[in-house]
Every structure is written in structure tokens, then in C-alpha cells.
Amino acid sequence: MQAGSPRSAIRGRLLAAGGVLGVAVVLGSAAPAAAEEPGSAAAPTGAAAVTRCSITAPPLPEISGLVDVGDRMLAMNDGGDQVAVYSLDAGCQVVDVHTVPVDPYDPEDMAVGSDGTVWLADTGDNTGSRSTVALHALHPDGPVSLFRLRYSDGTHDTEALLLAPDGTPYLVTKEVLGASRVYRPAAPLVDGGTVSLVKVAGVNFSLTGTPGGPVGRAGQLMVTGGAVARDGRHLALRTYTDAYVWALTGSDVLGALATDPVRIPLPDSPQGEAISFTADGRQLVVASEGLPSALTVVPLPAAGSKGGAPEGTASGPTGAVPSLTDLTKSGPSLITTGLIAAAVATVIVWLGAKLRRRP
């Protein structure tokens, strides 16, 4: 891997169509209390969301991973030339950083295990050129593990990590047309070794009309982050515009994803990729790339509420998958061929200038 990493741009394949600074203490001090049922239903427009604080720290221009551990918030950047986990206080100020002298390729998401281990998903692959992806595990007692993974069916760009309560990692791919794939290791992880990833499920997303993100309507379909509540009762996936929450029983991630989720429209943001549950599991916390970045708390809808979402927004293999034609609709009619060509050309030029230049 080469040293250095330019700023990330939009993930997905649209072109084809400072030392140990107390992470163990931070994580160990935030054992969650027993969660009650989530509160009142979120407004369909995301109006119930509240900005907790604004992240302005220069070291965090591209927040892609986020975990609420109670008195602190852990955050990571998309990119960089070393593994780094930042600790934020209640005012969004950086109070600590844990670094590892490993040059990641394209880290995209983060999770914290029940034992306090911080997991980073180095799984981004904009160009579809990686032979392996990786998980970095920062253990509370100091050691760092590197687990390499190889998809059994070719390359994938992935920005979401779901870490089940039993420690099983699930990777959810980012797809332009909303048909995301879910993978998990075919065998126990091996520190320094490579394990195959096998597809175990699919999650389909449809257009929602929620504004936000850098790629227009396509951003409503592209998975950019994932989270599992620390009390083990819910899991979530987000796109650039919406969050989807499933009830979780035990560590049955696949069983959860086979059911209908609750969709929660998120506040408009330039490039929303980070998502976490609050430490008590009652709310979501989201953030976007770019500075300043609002750290926004979004209430979960009440049990049984769809939060204004249409049925079938996301489900197992039966969810509706939009076509490229759907993505170019403006109101009830299609935009003209000339406008499509101009838009695609603009996106290609813009993305080409921003995508990482790694081989």
C-alpha cells in the first residue's frame, strides 16, 4: 500500500453506469443501561432531529464511521495514511486520538464490540480493483489485529459494517441501483491471514424522495453506513438520505434483515455516511463528511410505526429495485436524453478528479 491518501469522493460505481490514548478507558466507562422501547415516531421530514453539536476539528474532514459510547463519541475519517480513531466530548471537540501505524486503503465504517474492541472496516473499493479488503481490530488491552477478507464472487465497494452482538461481522455493499448484498466470513477470522467472504442475504432499497447527498436521487439507494445498538435490540443501515431500522433478536442479523424495517428520513446533508445508535439504544446519531459537520440526534419511531415510510422500502430479496430510468425521473416525466448525457458527463469529470489515485 502506498503512503498517503487523497480526500474521498462519492463511493460506488457510478462511473460504470497519537499513541494509545485511553480507548480502553473510554469504551469501558459507557456500559449501556437496559433500554426501553423507543419514543415517539419521527416526523417524515426529519424535523424531530436535533443537532447535538458541530464537528469543526481539522483532523475530521471526512467522517465516515461513528460510535456513541456514552460520555464520548468515537469517530473515524474516510481515508488517511494511518488508522486513527478520534474521541469527541459532548461539545464535538477532539479530546483524544488512538493511532495505529498501518496505512489503510479506504476505511469506511466503524463498530465497537461487546469487549470494547474497536473495529474499522477498510472495505471501500471505488474502482473495483482490490483483491482483498480488511478489518482492523483495536483491542482494549493494546494489540491490533488485521484480518484480510476476499469476496467469493468478485470485487465490491462496501461502506457498511454490522457487528452482531456475538462478534460476527457483516458487510453490506453499496450499489447504485439499491440491490445491496450482505456478506460474512465463511470461517473464523485469522489475524494476518485471509478468509473468504460469502453472500448470505440481499437488501433492496427503493426511491424515497428524501433530499440530500452528492448524487441526486441515486443517493437514496446507496448504503453508506451501518450500526448495531449496544443493547442488541436494533440494527440500522443508512443511505445518503434515509436510515432503516430493524428489530434484532440475539445475533440473528439475517433474520432481522428478512423483515420489514422502519424508514427514518434524515436531515439534508452534503454527504451523510456515519451512523450510530446512542449508547442507550433509543435514538440514532448521524453525521456527514465535510466541515463543519452537524452531529445530529434522530429519535426512533415508536414500536410498530413506519415513520411515514411506504411499505416495502427495504426488505429481503423481494424489495423493488429501481432502474436507471427511475433515477433520471424529474416529477412525473423523464428528463431529456441531452440532460442525462450532460449530467453523466459532469459527474464523471467531477468524480474522476476526486477519486483516490491508488493503483
Side-chain angles (χ1 to χ4, degrees):
M1 256 180 266
Q2 297 178 357
S5 175
R7 297 187 189 281
S8 66
I10 305 163
R11 305 305 172 205
R13 300 185 182 181
L14 198 56
L15 291 175
V20 181
L21 297 173
V23 169
V25 175
V26 169
L27 299 181
S29 65
E36 300 174 359
E37 286 297 323
S40 59
T45 60
V50 175
T51 298
R52 177 186 293 179
C53 54
S54 184
I55 301 170
T56 59
L60 287 170
E62 302 180 32
I63 294 177
S64 186
L66 197 66
V67 180
D68 186 340
V69 294
D71 59 341
R72 298 284 179 87
M73 183 73 66
L74 303 183
M76 54 157 277
N77 265 325
D78 177 350
D81 56 8
Q82 66 177 347
V83 170
V85 176
Y86 295 86
S87 181
L88 309 179
D89 64 15
C92 286
Q93 299 300 306
V94 174
V95 294
D96 222 343
V97 60
H98 182 103
T99 59
V100 178
V102 175
D103 180 13
Y105 188 97
D106 191 1
E108 291 289 357
D109 206 0
M110 179 170 60
V112 175
S114 59
D115 63 349
T117 297
V118 179
W119 292 80
L120 274 66
D122 184 2
T123 55
D125 190 11
N126 298 311
T127 60
S129 59
R130 298 183 66 171
S131 59
T132 62
V133 295
L135 294 174
H136 303 271
L138 286 61
H139 303 284
D141 54 353
V144 178
S145 299
L146 174 60
F147 305 106
R148 298 194 182 280
L149 303 163
R150 178 179 289 113
Y151 293 102
S152 57
D153 57 356
T155 61
H156 299 281
D157 184 29
T158 298
E159 296 193 6
L161 168 65
L162 296 174
L163 187 67
D166 66 1
T168 302
Y170 293 83
L171 300 179
V172 185
T173 65
K174 179 180 183 181
E175 306 292 344
V176 173
L177 296 182
S180 290
R181 304 179 181 191
V182 183
Y183 292 83
R184 72 179 174 199
L189 299 178
V190 178
D191 192 357
T194 302
V195 171
S196 179
L197 285 166
V198 293
K199 180 184 175 184
V200 291
V203 185
N204 296 337
F205 298 87
S206 58
L207 295 171
T208 65
T210 307
V215 291
R217 300 183 75 189
Q220 300 165 22
L221 309 173
M222 302 163 74
V223 174
T224 61
V228 175
R230 298 187 71 206
D231 63 9
R233 298 181 63 177
H234 295 91
L235 63 84
L237 294 171
R238 72 160 297 169
T239 64
Y240 283 120
T241 60
D242 299 88
Y244 298 84
V245 179
W246 288 262
L248 177 63
T249 301
S251 292
D252 189 9
V253 170
L254 301 184
L257 292 176
T259 65
D260 290 333
V262 172
R263 176 174 69 86
I264 305 174
L266 298 176
D268 193 347
S269 65
Q271 192 165 333
E273 299 192 5
I275 185 169
S276 172
F277 287 91
T278 53
D280 62 10
R282 301 181 186 183
Q283 302 176 93
L284 295 173
V285 184
V286 296
S288 173
E289 291 196 6
L291 293 177
S293 176
L295 193 68
T296 305
V297 179
V298 183
L300 295 179
S305 169
K306 287 295 178 182
E311 295 294 331
T313 295
S315 64
T318 60
V321 181
S323 66
L324 285 174
T325 299
D326 294 327
L327 301 185
T328 62
K329 288 181 180 178
S330 178
S333 61
L334 299 179
I335 61 177
T336 63
T337 302
L339 286 176
I340 296 174
V344 171
T346 300
V347 170
I348 289 175
V349 171
W350 183 57
L351 287 177
K354 287 179 172 285
L355 290 175
R356 65 175 63 247
R357 296 187 177 91
R358 293 181 183 271

